[in-house]
Amino acid sequence: MNDAAPHHPDARPVRHVLVLPDRDAAEEVAEALTERFGVTEEPQLVRDALAGEDDAEDAQWLVVVEDPDAAHDPARLHDLAAEYEGWREAE
């Protein structure tokens, strides 16, 4: 088997979900992911209404990052989200 890239035996596709307090923070984190982490596929922004809440002000925003090669450090992603009063959701 001719594998040019080194293969990590535990590498499997990962989906990182960063939870942010509002849309502005989510958009800034998505931009930072491209600049700081070199994310090439645009992160997906998803509005996540809190359970039982109808008020749009009570919505969190999720930034979903597909990481097919498990190349991004979860701790660094958490730190980035924390800069914007958010966190990385553990799967």
Side-chain angles (χ1 to χ4, degrees):
M1 183 155 96
N2 187 3
D3 213 351
H7 177 71
H8 190 279
D10 297 330
R12 62 184 189 280
V14 176
R15 174 179 288 148
H16 303 283
V17 178
L18 307 180
V19 182
L20 286 305
D22 57 46
R23 182 182 185 122
D24 289 343
E27 289 175 347
E28 289 181 35
V29 166
E31 192 173 303
L33 284 165
T34 303
E35 293 171 0
R36 294 192 215 173
F37 289 83
V39 171
T40 54
E41 187 174 324
E42 188 171 331
Q44 181 182 0
L45 274 57
V46 180
R47 181 180 173 275
D48 182 38
L50 299 174
E53 298 291 341
D54 293 326
D55 188 349
E57 296 300 312
D58 290 326
Q60 295 174 325
W61 282 80
L62 308 179
V63 178
V64 181
V65 182
E66 299 296 336
D67 187 5
D69 300 320
H72 302 301
D73 180 359
R76 287 188 61 215
L77 291 171
H78 172 80
D79 291 346
L80 172 62
E83 290 177 31
Y84 295 90
E85 299 178 16
W87 64 90
R88 179 186 173 273
E89 192 70 30
E91 295 208 348

